[in-house]
Amino acid sequence: MKLFRRILLVLSVASAIVGILRVGGSSKAKVTTKQGGWRTYTPTRGSSPTNNYTSAK
Amino acid sequence: MIGVIGAGVLGARVVEELVANGQAHVYVHDSNPVAARRVVDRSSQAAHKVSAVDVHELFGTNVVVLACAPAHAKAARRLLEAGVSVVSCSDDVDDVLELLDLDAVARQKKQTLVVGASASPGLSGLLVHMMSSRFDTIDEAHVAVHGTAGPACAQQHHRALSRQSIGWHDGDWLRRPAGSGRELCWFPDPVGPRDCYRAEMADPVVLHHGFADLTRVTGRVSATRRDRLTARLPMLTPPHPEGGIGALRVEVRGWRNDSRHIEVVGAADRMANLAGTVAAATARGVAIGGFASGVRVLGDSDSPNDAIFDAVCKAGIQLREFVGTSSP
């Protein structure tokens, strides 16, 4: 009987932990914003001397 | 001729990209011959030959892409000493540090070793380089990653959250416990906002090597509460064969017209797709002699960054910039 109660206790504690993790485990933050967004990135070409493959070896 | 070590998710994408861009002959090696055979069967076409080979045959190639699980330093040294240039996709900090130490070997053999040619590090360096042209000077770069590629990448993500993060902070390496420093990072759609934490990422090491003027460089990964709780335990469940849509986000800070300025650019795609595209474009760049000899990282001033960036965009990687907030 004692063993049975211990098993029940362990299972209930484990269930509580799993429940917390399932509820709070998502990293998908529930945040909304009215500002900001993503648009296609258009690079600004600098005056880099290595704009193209050059034989540097 | 280009060789690829590793026929996992990343290796397969590298081979696909090389074949799609007209590489006539690609050698593939994997410790699991069945995996190598599978990649060969999937990628071989009439005009492009992909062969599963023994590791010794890779010493006859011009460039070898290391797309296997770390550590890469030992293999890279052997290949360089044999006169073969190397492109490493390693994202393990200790491994990356060992790879960066191979500069003398690479220069002596007049070969190129590109360190961290994947998504993070790799694409992150390219983005910092591209964004730097919009600034007068840049002094901070902050990288955040969501998602993993194959099983080896997932294990690396798991390990990264159990160790110590490394960051460059005002002229010194700053170590903090991984899993700390929560920050809400916005990734391009469809990933969106994710809680990101410090982790043992190679990005700060690689970016500091390529951009010595940066005063602050940090790296963060997205993680759930469960990830952080179980980080110090062995992986409780086997990793997915391939993770879902991942994302990379690079925030650069600096000065423009005497005022503080911030730019954020990112990409959302399968991580293996991002990493494989960058690795393949880098390998092609090395094969045609676009890189100087020695150790190189993507984004540094001696690398053909624009050409690699163009190749990555041409391969279909959609880059997005964050807009809408006018003040830092």
Side-chain angles (χ1 to χ4, degrees), chain B residues 217-281:
Chain B
V217 188
T218 63
R220 278 180 165 76
V221 294
S222 72
T224 62
R225 216 170 279 175
R226 199 180 319 163
D227 290 335
R228 291 192 300 141
L229 187 72
T230 60
R232 281 159 184 83
L233 304 171
M235 285 189 89
L236 298 179
T237 52
H240 296 288
E242 181 171 4
I245 296 290
L248 171 74
R249 174 190 192 276
V250 181
E251 180 176 337
V252 175
R253 302 178 187 177
W255 294 92
R256 186 167 76 177
N257 300 330
D258 295 330
S259 64
R260 203 74 185 136
H261 185 65
I262 298 175
E263 295 264 350
V264 181
V265 174
D269 205 322
R270 288 186 181 276
M271 290 309 281
N273 208 25
L274 292 176
T277 304
V278 173

Side-chain angles (χ1 to χ4, degrees), chain B residues 18 29 38 57 74 76 90-91 105 107 144 153 158 170 174 183 192 196 198 213 222 226 233 270 297-298 310 324:
Chain B
L18 289 171
H29 171 77
R38 201 181 304 132
E57 291 185 58
K74 203 172 164 185
S90 179
D91 57 355
V105 179
R107 283 180 192 276
C153 187
H158 184 79
D170 294 341
L174 198 66
E183 187 176 312
C196 294
R198 293 191 189 104
D213 293 340
S222 72
R226 199 180 319 163
L233 304 171
R270 288 186 181 276
V297 299
L298 294 181
D310 288 344

